[in-house]
Protein backbone atom coordinates (compact mmCIF):
# COMPACT_ATOMS: atom_id res chain seq x y z
CA UNK A 1 0.00 0.00 0.00
CA UNK A 2 1.39 3.43 -0.94
CA UNK A 3 2.03 5.92 1.85
CA UNK A 4 -0.44 8.36 0.30
CA UNK A 5 -3.17 5.70 0.36
CA UNK A 6 -2.58 5.02 4.05
CA UNK A 7 -2.60 8.74 4.80
CA UNK A 8 -5.95 9.05 3.06
CA UNK A 9 -7.37 6.19 5.13
CA UNK A 10 -6.07 7.72 8.37
CA UNK A 11 -7.54 11.07 7.44
CA UNK A 12 -10.91 9.54 6.58
CA UNK A 13 -11.11 7.59 9.84
CA UNK A 14 -10.21 10.64 11.87
CA UNK A 15 -12.79 12.79 10.03
CA UNK A 16 -15.57 10.29 10.75
CA UNK A 17 -14.57 10.02 14.41
CA UNK A 18 -13.94 13.73 14.95
CA UNK A 19 -16.89 14.96 12.91
CA UNK A 20 -15.00 17.73 11.13
CA UNK A 21 -11.96 18.38 8.96
CA UNK A 22 -10.64 20.89 11.48
CA UNK A 23 -10.67 18.49 14.44
CA UNK A 24 -9.30 15.67 12.29
CA UNK A 25 -6.44 17.92 11.17
CA UNK A 26 -5.71 18.79 14.79
CA UNK A 27 -5.47 15.08 15.65
CA UNK A 28 -3.21 14.39 12.69
CA UNK A 29 -1.17 17.59 13.14
CA UNK A 30 -1.95 18.78 9.61
CA UNK A 31 -4.05 21.58 8.19
CA UNK A 32 -7.76 21.41 7.49
CA UNK A 33 -7.09 21.79 3.76
CA UNK A 34 -4.60 18.91 3.81
CA UNK A 35 -7.27 16.67 5.34
CA UNK A 36 -9.81 17.75 2.72
CA UNK A 37 -7.33 17.06 -0.07
CA UNK A 38 -6.57 13.57 1.26
CA UNK A 39 -10.28 12.74 1.45
CA UNK A 40 -10.92 14.04 -2.09
CA UNK A 41 -8.04 11.95 -3.46
CA UNK A 42 -9.33 8.88 -1.62
CA UNK A 43 -12.85 9.32 -3.03
CA UNK A 44 -11.48 9.73 -6.57
CA UNK A 45 -9.36 6.61 -6.20
CA UNK A 46 -12.30 4.56 -4.89
CA UNK A 47 -14.84 6.05 -7.25
CA UNK A 48 -17.44 6.63 -4.50
CA UNK A 49 -18.51 9.49 -2.26
CA UNK A 50 -17.57 8.69 1.32
CA UNK A 51 -18.87 11.81 3.10
CA UNK A 52 -22.00 13.95 3.00
CA UNK A 53 -20.86 17.55 3.29
CA UNK A 54 -22.99 20.58 4.12
CA UNK A 55 -22.06 23.94 5.59
CA UNK A 56 -23.27 22.76 9.01
CA UNK A 57 -22.63 19.02 9.14
CA UNK A 58 -20.38 16.25 7.99
CA UNK A 59 -21.41 12.59 8.02
CA UNK A 60 -20.44 9.36 6.25
CA UNK A 61 -22.54 8.03 3.39
CA UNK A 62 -23.74 4.43 3.58
CA UNK A 63 -20.71 3.41 1.49
CA UNK A 64 -18.54 5.59 3.68
CA UNK A 65 -19.80 3.94 6.84
CA UNK A 66 -19.04 0.46 5.48
CA UNK A 67 -15.60 1.61 4.36
CA UNK A 68 -14.97 3.17 7.77
CA UNK A 69 -15.72 -0.13 9.54
CA UNK A 70 -13.32 -1.95 7.21
CA UNK A 71 -10.62 0.70 7.70
CA UNK A 72 -10.89 0.53 11.49
CA UNK A 73 -10.45 -3.24 11.41
CA UNK A 74 -7.47 -2.97 9.04
CA UNK A 75 -5.77 -0.31 11.16
CA UNK A 76 -6.36 -2.43 14.27
CA UNK A 77 -4.61 -5.37 12.57
CA UNK A 78 -1.65 -3.16 11.68
CA UNK A 79 -1.46 -1.87 15.23
CA UNK A 80 -1.73 -5.41 16.59
CA UNK A 81 1.15 -6.53 14.37
CA UNK A 82 3.29 -3.66 15.63
CA UNK A 83 2.32 -4.42 19.21
CA UNK A 84 3.18 -8.08 18.68
CA UNK A 85 6.73 -7.16 17.76
CA UNK A 86 6.99 -4.89 20.78
CA UNK A 87 5.42 -7.49 23.08
CA UNK A 88 8.25 -9.91 22.47
CA UNK A 89 10.59 -7.37 24.05
CA UNK A 90 8.50 -7.01 27.20
CA UNK A 91 8.49 -9.19 30.31
CA UNK A 92 5.09 -10.67 31.37
CA UNK A 93 3.86 -9.25 34.64
CA UNK A 94 0.68 -8.55 36.60
CA UNK A 95 -2.25 -10.93 37.08
CA UNK A 96 -3.13 -13.57 34.49
CA UNK A 97 -6.47 -15.37 34.82
CA UNK A 98 -6.71 -18.64 32.88
CA UNK A 99 -9.68 -21.00 32.58
CA UNK A 100 -9.09 -24.63 31.56
CA UNK A 101 -11.13 -27.87 31.32
CA UNK A 102 -11.11 -30.08 34.40
CA UNK A 103 -9.16 -33.23 33.53
CA UNK A 104 -7.36 -31.99 30.41
CA UNK A 105 -6.46 -28.76 32.17
CA UNK A 106 -5.05 -30.48 35.23
CA UNK A 107 -3.04 -33.09 33.33
CA UNK A 108 -1.93 -31.24 30.21
CA UNK A 109 -2.24 -27.46 30.60
CA UNK A 110 -1.43 -26.83 34.26
CA UNK A 111 2.20 -28.07 33.94
CA UNK A 112 2.78 -25.43 31.25
CA UNK A 113 1.34 -22.72 33.47
CA UNK A 114 3.40 -23.91 36.44
CA UNK A 115 6.54 -23.56 34.32
CA UNK A 116 5.54 -20.05 33.24
CA UNK A 117 4.92 -19.11 36.86
CA UNK A 118 8.45 -20.23 37.75
CA UNK A 119 10.01 -18.37 34.81
CA UNK A 120 8.29 -15.03 35.41
CA UNK A 121 8.27 -14.05 39.10
CA UNK A 122 6.44 -10.78 38.37
CA UNK A 123 3.45 -12.70 36.98
CA UNK A 124 0.60 -13.87 39.21
CA UNK A 125 -1.26 -16.78 37.63
CA UNK A 126 -4.84 -17.67 38.63
CA UNK A 127 -6.19 -20.93 37.15
CA UNK A 128 -9.82 -22.03 37.26
CA UNK A 129 -10.78 -25.61 36.37
CA UNK A 130 -14.22 -26.41 34.98
CA UNK A 131 -15.99 -27.80 31.93
CA UNK A 132 -18.43 -24.89 31.79
CA UNK A 133 -17.79 -22.43 28.98
CA UNK A 134 -17.24 -19.19 30.81
CA UNK A 135 -17.86 -15.75 29.37
CA UNK A 136 -14.29 -14.49 29.20
CA UNK A 137 -15.16 -10.82 29.02
CA UNK A 138 -17.91 -10.87 31.65
CA UNK A 139 -15.83 -12.94 34.10
CA UNK A 140 -12.55 -11.15 33.46
CA UNK A 141 -10.68 -14.15 32.04
CA UNK A 142 -7.50 -13.35 30.09
CA UNK A 143 -7.14 -16.72 28.37
CA UNK A 144 -9.07 -19.99 28.13
CA UNK A 145 -8.38 -23.43 26.72
CA UNK A 146 -11.44 -24.87 24.99
CA UNK A 147 -12.11 -28.32 23.61
CA UNK A 148 -14.43 -28.86 20.67
CA UNK A 149 -16.17 -26.45 18.34
CA UNK A 150 -15.81 -22.74 19.04
CA UNK A 151 -18.65 -20.29 19.40
CA UNK A 152 -18.96 -17.87 16.49
CA UNK A 153 -17.94 -14.82 18.50
CA UNK A 154 -16.33 -11.70 17.05
CA UNK A 155 -15.17 -10.72 20.53
CA UNK A 156 -12.78 -13.68 20.86
CA UNK A 157 -9.54 -14.55 19.11
CA UNK A 158 -8.46 -18.19 18.88
CA UNK A 159 -5.42 -20.30 18.06
CA UNK A 160 -5.52 -24.04 17.48
CA UNK A 161 -3.03 -25.74 19.80
CA UNK A 162 -3.83 -29.45 19.61
CA UNK A 163 -5.95 -32.16 17.96
CA UNK A 164 -6.99 -34.75 20.53
CA UNK A 165 -6.48 -38.38 19.51
CA UNK A 166 -8.55 -41.15 21.08
CA UNK A 167 -8.88 -44.93 21.07
CA UNK A 168 -11.38 -47.61 22.05
CA UNK A 169 -9.89 -49.66 24.86
CA UNK A 170 -10.63 -51.98 27.77
CA UNK A 171 -8.88 -53.74 30.64
CA UNK A 172 -7.36 -57.17 29.83
CA UNK A 173 -9.42 -58.73 32.65
CA UNK A 174 -12.66 -57.46 31.05
CA UNK A 175 -11.65 -58.78 27.62
CA UNK A 176 -10.71 -62.15 29.07
CA UNK A 177 -14.06 -62.45 30.83
CA UNK A 178 -16.31 -61.12 28.05
CA UNK A 179 -14.34 -61.61 24.87
CA UNK A 180 -12.91 -59.10 22.42
CA UNK A 181 -15.36 -57.30 20.08
CA UNK A 182 -14.60 -57.81 16.38
CA UNK A 183 -16.76 -54.98 15.05
CA UNK A 184 -18.62 -51.90 16.20
CA UNK A 185 -21.83 -53.95 16.04
CA UNK A 186 -20.36 -56.36 18.59
CA UNK A 187 -20.39 -53.58 21.17
CA UNK A 188 -24.14 -54.18 21.57
CA UNK A 189 -23.18 -57.35 23.44
CA UNK A 190 -20.69 -55.60 25.74
CA UNK A 191 -20.76 -53.25 28.69
CA UNK A 192 -19.84 -49.79 27.43
CA UNK A 193 -18.65 -46.80 29.46
CA UNK A 194 -19.84 -43.53 27.93
CA UNK A 195 -19.22 -39.84 28.48
CA UNK A 196 -22.41 -37.87 28.92
CA UNK A 197 -24.13 -34.95 30.59
CA UNK A 198 -27.74 -33.86 30.89
CA UNK A 199 -28.92 -37.19 29.49
CA UNK A 200 -26.88 -36.92 26.28
CA UNK A 201 -24.10 -39.43 25.57
CA UNK A 202 -21.24 -38.12 23.44
CA UNK A 203 -20.67 -40.07 20.19
CA UNK A 204 -17.42 -41.87 19.50
CA UNK A 205 -15.36 -41.04 16.42
CA UNK A 206 -14.63 -44.30 14.60
CA UNK A 207 -12.73 -45.22 11.47
CA UNK A 208 -14.57 -47.63 9.17
CA UNK A 209 -12.90 -50.40 7.20
CA UNK A 210 -12.81 -48.21 4.08
CA UNK A 211 -10.92 -45.53 5.99
CA UNK A 212 -13.57 -42.86 6.37
CA UNK A 213 -14.50 -41.40 9.75
CA UNK A 214 -17.94 -41.82 11.24
CA UNK A 215 -19.85 -41.34 14.47
CA UNK A 216 -21.04 -44.08 16.76
CA UNK A 217 -23.41 -43.37 19.66
CA UNK A 218 -22.74 -46.09 22.25
CA UNK A 219 -25.53 -47.72 24.22
CA UNK A 220 -23.71 -47.14 27.47
CA UNK A 221 -24.50 -49.02 30.68
CA UNK A 222 -22.29 -46.64 32.67
CA UNK A 223 -22.41 -42.93 31.84
CA UNK A 224 -19.97 -40.56 33.51
CA UNK A 225 -19.56 -36.81 33.12
CA UNK A 226 -15.81 -36.66 33.78
CA UNK A 227 -12.89 -38.26 31.97
CA UNK A 228 -10.84 -39.45 34.92
CA UNK A 229 -13.64 -41.56 36.49
CA UNK A 230 -14.13 -43.10 33.03
CA UNK A 231 -10.50 -44.22 33.12
CA UNK A 232 -10.97 -45.53 36.64
CA UNK A 233 -14.06 -47.48 35.56
CA UNK A 234 -12.23 -49.03 32.61
CA UNK A 235 -9.30 -50.04 34.82
CA UNK A 236 -11.78 -51.62 37.23
CA UNK A 237 -13.07 -53.82 34.40
CA UNK A 238 -16.47 -52.14 34.06
CA UNK A 239 -16.46 -52.19 30.28
CA UNK A 240 -15.17 -50.82 26.99
CA UNK A 241 -14.41 -47.11 26.79
CA UNK A 242 -13.38 -44.43 24.28
CA UNK A 243 -10.55 -42.43 25.84
CA UNK A 244 -8.10 -39.74 24.66
CA UNK A 245 -4.41 -40.60 24.63
CA UNK A 246 -3.57 -37.84 27.12
CA UNK A 247 -5.70 -39.73 29.64
CA UNK A 248 -5.08 -43.37 28.70
CA UNK A 249 -1.47 -43.40 27.44
CA UNK A 250 0.19 -44.45 30.70
CA UNK A 251 -2.31 -47.26 31.29
CA UNK A 252 -1.86 -48.49 27.71
CA UNK A 253 1.93 -48.51 28.06
CA UNK A 254 1.74 -50.44 31.34
CA UNK A 255 -0.65 -52.98 29.83
CA UNK A 256 -3.48 -52.02 32.17
CA UNK A 257 -5.59 -51.20 29.10
CA UNK A 258 -5.59 -52.63 25.59
CA UNK A 259 -6.81 -51.03 22.39
CA UNK A 260 -9.69 -52.90 20.74
CA UNK A 261 -11.25 -52.90 17.25
CA UNK A 262 -8.31 -50.92 15.84
CA UNK A 263 -4.72 -50.06 16.66
CA UNK A 264 -5.19 -46.65 15.00
CA UNK A 265 -5.79 -43.49 16.96
CA UNK A 266 -8.58 -41.20 15.77
CA UNK A 267 -8.55 -37.40 15.94
CA UNK A 268 -11.89 -36.48 17.47
CA UNK A 269 -11.64 -33.07 19.19
CA UNK A 270 -9.70 -29.89 18.36
CA UNK A 271 -8.34 -27.82 21.25
CA UNK A 272 -7.95 -24.03 21.03
CA UNK A 273 -6.53 -21.26 23.14
CA UNK A 274 -8.99 -18.33 23.12
CA UNK A 275 -8.75 -14.80 24.47
CA UNK A 276 -10.70 -11.53 24.22
CA UNK A 277 -9.92 -9.52 21.09
CA UNK A 278 -7.87 -6.44 21.87
CA UNK A 279 -5.76 -4.12 19.79
CA UNK A 280 -2.73 -5.04 21.88
CA UNK A 281 -2.07 -8.69 22.75
CA UNK A 282 -0.42 -8.46 26.14
CA UNK A 283 2.93 -10.17 26.79
CA UNK A 284 1.41 -12.32 29.54
CA UNK A 285 -1.14 -13.81 27.12
CA UNK A 286 1.36 -14.11 24.29
CA UNK A 287 3.85 -16.06 26.40
CA UNK A 288 1.17 -18.60 27.40
CA UNK A 289 -0.12 -19.08 23.85
CA UNK A 290 3.42 -19.59 22.55
CA UNK A 291 4.21 -22.05 25.36
CA UNK A 292 1.02 -24.06 24.71
CA UNK A 293 1.72 -24.28 20.98
CA UNK A 294 5.23 -25.56 21.67
CA UNK A 295 4.06 -27.97 24.39
CA UNK A 296 1.38 -29.56 22.23
CA UNK A 297 3.45 -29.73 19.04
CA UNK A 298 4.72 -33.24 19.91
CA UNK A 299 3.15 -34.46 23.17
CA UNK A 300 4.65 -37.61 24.67
CA UNK A 301 1.28 -39.27 25.20
CA UNK A 302 0.54 -39.33 21.46
CA UNK A 303 3.51 -41.66 20.97
CA UNK A 304 1.24 -44.46 22.22
Amino acid sequence: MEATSLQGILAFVQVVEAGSFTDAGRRLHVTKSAVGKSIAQLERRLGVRLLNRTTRSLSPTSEGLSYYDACVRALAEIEAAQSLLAAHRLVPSGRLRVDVPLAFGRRCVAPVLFDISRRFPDLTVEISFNDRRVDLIEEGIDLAVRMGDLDDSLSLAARRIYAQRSAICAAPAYLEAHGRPRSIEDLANHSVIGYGRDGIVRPWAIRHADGHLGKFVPRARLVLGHGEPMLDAALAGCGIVFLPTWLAADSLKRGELEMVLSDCLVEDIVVHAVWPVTRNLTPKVRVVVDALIEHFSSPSWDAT
Side-chain angles (χ1 to χ4, degrees), residues 175-191:
L175 296 174
E176 183 178 348
H178 302 280
R180 184 180 293 267
R182 302 299 177 185
S183 67
I184 288 294
E185 290 72 24
D186 284 350
L187 292 176
N189 301 316
H190 283 268
S191 295

Side-chain angles (χ1 to χ4, degrees), residues 112-125:
V112 179
L113 299 176
F114 297 159
D115 180 64
I116 288 173
S117 179
R118 287 191 297 267
R119 287 165 50 200
F120 301 104
D122 293 332
L123 184 65
T124 299
V125 182

Side-chain angles (χ1 to χ4, degrees), residues 12-232:
F12 171 66
V13 169
Q14 290 299 327
V15 167
V16 173
E17 294 180 352
S20 73
F21 284 10
T22 301
D23 290 339
R26 189 177 297 113
R27 294 183 179 185
L28 295 171
H29 305 290
V30 297
T31 64
K32 171 184 176 181
S33 60
V35 173
K37 182 178 179 180
S38 294
I39 298 297
Q41 291 175 341
L42 182 62
E43 289 179 324
R44 283 197 299 271
R45 188 164 58 248
L46 297 175
V48 296
R49 184 160 54 91
L50 299 174
L51 297 171
N52 290 315
R53 306 171 178 82
T54 69
T55 56
R56 295 186 177 182
S57 66
L58 185 67
S59 63
T61 63
S62 58
E63 293 86 354
L65 190 58
S66 298
Y67 188 65
Y68 166 79
D69 290 337
C71 289
V72 169
R73 290 194 298 271
L75 292 173
E77 290 292 330
I78 294 173
E79 185 175 343
Q82 294 172 336
S83 298
L84 176 61
L85 295 176
H88 283 293
R89 299 194 299 267
L90 299 176
V91 177
S93 61
R95 185 179 70 162
L96 175 69
R97 300 189 65 199
V98 184
D99 185 77
V100 299
L102 281 168
F104 183 79
R106 185 179 74 83
R107 287 175 173 251
C108 304
V109 180
V112 179
L113 299 176
F114 297 159
D115 180 64
I116 288 173
S117 179
R118 287 191 297 267
R119 287 165 50 200
F120 301 104
D122 293 332
L123 184 65
T124 299
V125 182
E126 297 181 7
I127 313 172
S128 56
F129 296 84
N130 68 78
D131 290 330
R132 174 181 62 89
R133 290 207 168 185
V134 302
D135 186 317
L136 272 64
I137 296 174
E138 183 176 321
E139 300 189 33
I141 302 296
D142 298 298
L143 179 74
V145 172
R146 288 188 171 169
M147 307 183 73
D149 295 335
L150 294 177
D151 300 328
D152 187 15
S153 173
L154 297 178
S155 63
L156 297 179
R159 178 68 184 269
R160 172 175 167 151
I161 59 173
Y162 177 60
Q164 174 179 283
R165 303 169 75 199
S166 299
I168 302 173
C169 48
Y174 173 87
L175 296 174
E176 183 178 348
H178 302 280
R180 184 180 293 267
R182 302 299 177 185
S183 67
I184 288 294
E185 290 72 24
D186 284 350
L187 292 176
N189 301 316
H190 283 268
S191 295
V192 174
I193 304 165
Y195 177 88
R197 291 189 175 185
D198 301 322
I200 300 174
V201 177
R202 177 181 291 172
W204 295 0
I206 59 170
R207 190 174 298 280
H208 294 281
D210 61 3
H212 82 275
L213 289 177
K215 296 291 185 182
F216 169 71
V217 180
R219 191 174 64 186
R221 291 188 58 247
L222 181 60
V223 180
L224 300 169
H226 193 291
E228 290 179 324
M230 292 175 65
L231 173 62
D232 295 339

